[in-house]
């Protein structure tokens, strides 16, 4: 017998029974709930349901609680939009493969350290994000393949820098049953603007995480509940002529610093 599955199933039905008692759930309501779950299954929206019920982020929390020693960078959910084998980019790293004029330019830089402060050279940084309109390349036919996705290594001092665009917030899929649920309970589908990362170095625990743009209007009400205080990215506006010339940019741009910390495997 699968003891763990037995214990979880028993506990889950106890919790469901207490909800049924508390809300005096009727047979008609049960029928609607079962029809809803059938539709969720048929439309392949179980991962999305898990996200909006904040189940995915709760599982991320318990999965990584043991390895999060208070020093290493906190993890976050991978989400459904990760693509393996993103292009390997050389320095200086440009994540955006198209004309950036419709969006605001952003430089993200920092260092990767071990929990005891050792800079980690040759750490693999795998990044993916939406453009300023909140669109990911694989859901937007106007963007080229692998736009705003890429992998690159830190230098000999564990440093990294990449040029990209400020991502926009976006709504998670709301055209199916999960969207109907959100509408019925008056919840929005917005995710605050963010950049996803996978950071890995041999001998260290890899971290999958995302950094949120501080000040985003949805940062306190993420539809999937994934915002963590330690993962906020502060953007500084730069309008300095010398800096603009040095970087070959003719308009204001943004910079942001974030150091990643990995714990030993
Ligand atoms: C994302 O961050 O890419 C994402 C997460 C959950 C649902 C949809 C998208
Ligand atoms: Fe995302």
């Amino acid at each position: 017998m699968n003891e763990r599955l037995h214990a979880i199933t028993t506990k889950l039905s106890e919790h469901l029974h207490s909800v049924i008692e508390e809300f005096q759930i009727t047979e008609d309501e049960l029928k609607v709930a079962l029809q809803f779950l059938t539709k969720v299954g048929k439309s392949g929206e179980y991962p999305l349901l898990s996200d909006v019920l904040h189940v995915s982020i709760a599982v991320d929390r318990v999965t990584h609680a043991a390895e999060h020693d208070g020093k290493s960078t906190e993890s976050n959910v991978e989400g459904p939009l990760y693509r393996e084998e993103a292009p390997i980019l050389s320095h200086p790293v440009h994540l955006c493969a198209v004309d950036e004029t419709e969006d605001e330019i952003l430089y993200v830089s920092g260092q990767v350290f071990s929990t005891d402060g050792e800079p980690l050279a040759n750490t693999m940084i795998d990044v993916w994000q939406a453009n300023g309109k909140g669109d990911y390349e694989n859901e937007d036919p106007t963007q080229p393949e692998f736009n705003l996705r890429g992998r690159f290594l830190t230098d000999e001092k564990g440093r990294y820098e990449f040029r990209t665009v400020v991502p926009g917030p976006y709504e998670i899929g709301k055209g199916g049953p999960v969207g109907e649920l959100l509408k019925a309970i008056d919840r929005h589908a917005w995710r605050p603007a963010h950049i996803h990362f996978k950071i890995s170095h041999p001998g260290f625990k890899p971290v999958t995480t995302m950094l949120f743009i501080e000040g985003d209007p949805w940062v306190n009400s993420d539809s999937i509940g994934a915002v963590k205080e330690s993962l906020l990215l502060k953007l500084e506006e730069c309008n300095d002529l010398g800096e603009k010339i040095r970087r070959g940019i003719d308009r204001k741009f943004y910079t942001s610093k974030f150091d990643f910390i990995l714990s030993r495997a």
Side-chain angles (χ1 to χ4, degrees), residues 107-124:
Y107 285 85
V108 183
S109 63
Q111 257 176 303
V112 182
F113 295 102
S114 69
T115 48
D116 27 62
E118 178 199 346
L120 297 177
N122 296 320
T123 300
M124 177 63 84

Side-chain angles (χ1 to χ4, degrees), residues 158-226:
R159 293 174 300 198
Y160 73 92
E161 177 173 84
F162 63 95
R163 172 171 163 162
T164 184
V165 294
V166 178
Y170 61 85
E171 288 181 288
I172 54 172
K174 57 173 192 178
V178 171
E180 281 170 34
L181 171 67
L182 291 180
K183 195 164 174 225
I185 61 173
D186 197 21
R187 266 184 54 189
H188 70 73
W190 287 95
R191 294 227 56 220
H194 56 272
I195 304 178
H196 296 266
F197 292 84
K198 278 180 188 282
I199 313 286
S200 56
H201 190 286
F204 290 81
K205 290 178 190 155
V207 173
T208 298
T209 193
M210 59 179 111
L211 302 182
F212 298 89
I213 309 295
E214 204 175 84
D216 181 282
W218 308 104
V219 87
N220 294 316
S221 66
D222 184 5
S223 56
I224 72 160

